[in-house]
Amino acid sequence: TYLGRPEADGYRTQAMGVLGTALFENRRPEEALPVLETSLALIRRHWSHDESNMLIAQSNLAVCYGVLGRHDRALVMHRAIFARTVKLRGKNSDHALIDGLNLAETLRNLGRFAEAATLARKQLSLARSRQSNGAMVVEFEHESAQETILLLTRTLADSLCQNPEASRGDVREAVSLLQHSLEQARQTFGARHPRTVQTEEKLEAARHLELPNS
């Protein structure tokens, strides 16, 4: 195991990161949190020159904070991660698109709907532009690229619908976005895929919001 290895041992740090990620992915975020925190601390202490792994560790920890409801803490981290990723890799990079998605989703969770919608719309435009010229599929598999677009679309739609100040136009736009996303999800993932089913549920909820004002 990694426990018998020196603190600065690379395999120890890597193993802790894998363990933390595995716990999180198996829906055990409370157990994952201290492991991810320790993993990031070790990277900062001994591997600070490896900025790529640093950003990955920070992102994993920030997402875990969000799942545990610590959205304020997650927001601070996601802002810093997104800014650094854009600086290092460019705003059109696959990593920047995902980090922007995480930031927009955190803003939405905090009720900052207008800011979340603005960022999600910007990231969605970049993702669609990359997909149209094939750049996104070069770095990602087609399904991964389409999933990023799907998640950005859903975050934008949620930010529009959940805003207490949403207009009828905002709700109509959300419905239109989700209708298109549902068609794409069925083509890419299939009708029974969890992403497709979740999009169907969000579309139904958005249509329900339309009814009182229709």
Side-chain angles (χ1 to χ4, degrees):
T1 68
Y2 67 83
L3 294 176
R5 292 180 175 272
E7 182 181 270
D9 183 87
Y11 290 110
R12 175 191 175 102
T13 304
Q14 183 180 27
M16 290 194 69
V18 170
L19 174 61
T21 301
L23 288 168
F24 180 82
E25 291 180 348
N26 281 278
R27 300 182 181 181
R28 296 162 65 182
E30 295 87 356
E31 296 174 66
L33 181 61
V35 179
L36 293 173
E37 288 176 329
T38 301
S39 176
L40 177 58
L42 288 173
I43 292 173
R44 282 174 170 161
R45 190 176 304 139
H46 301 291
W47 307 92
S48 58
H49 60 280
D50 189 349
E51 195 150 17
S52 178
N53 279 334
M54 176 88 74
L55 287 169
I56 291 171
Q58 288 174 328
S59 182
N60 289 339
L61 179 57
V63 170
C64 190
Y65 280 137
V67 168
L68 292 172
R70 297 168 65 175
H71 300 301
D72 288 319
R73 184 74 177 273
L75 178 61
V76 172
M77 294 189 70
H78 280 309
R79 280 197 191 281
I81 293 164
F82 180 54
R84 189 60 183 162
T85 300
V86 169
K87 183 175 181 179
L88 286 175
R89 295 173 171 164
K91 65 180 182 179
N92 294 321
S93 67
D94 51 350
H95 294 280
L97 290 172
I98 293 173
D99 290 339
L101 166 64
N102 289 335
L103 175 55
E105 188 64 13
T106 302
L107 289 165
R108 185 191 65 78
N109 285 329
L110 284 167
R112 299 167 68 163
F113 300 111
E115 192 176 353
T118 297
L119 178 57
R121 193 185 301 280
K122 177 182 177 182
Q123 296 300 103
L124 181 58
S125 177
L126 290 171
R128 285 174 171 168
S129 177
R130 288 198 62 197
Q131 187 187 49
S132 67
N133 63 32
M136 197 167 184
V137 182
V138 169
E139 292 191 49
F140 280 166
E141 294 294 333
H142 175 67
E143 287 191 5
S144 298
Q146 193 60 47
E147 183 174 31
T148 299
I149 291 175
L150 174 64
L151 294 176
L152 283 166
T153 303
R154 282 177 17 185
T155 296
L156 174 55
D158 284 344
S159 299
L160 292 169
C161 286
Q162 294 171 9
N163 190 338
E165 300 178 359
S167 66
R168 293 177 65 181
D170 290 332
V171 176
R172 284 196 296 269
E173 181 185 1
V175 169
S176 177
L177 286 165
L178 290 169
Q179 285 175 330
H180 179 71
S181 287
L182 180 57
E183 293 173 4
Q184 294 298 313
R186 285 171 174 164
Q187 292 175 11
T188 304
F189 305 112
R192 297 184 179 181
H193 191 280
R195 294 296 191 198
T196 305
V197 174
Q198 291 163 4
T199 304
E200 287 178 334
E201 292 171 349
K202 287 184 178 293
L203 176 57
E204 183 179 352
R207 282 174 170 163
H208 182 73
L209 291 176
E210 276 191 310
L211 293 177
N213 297 318
S214 58

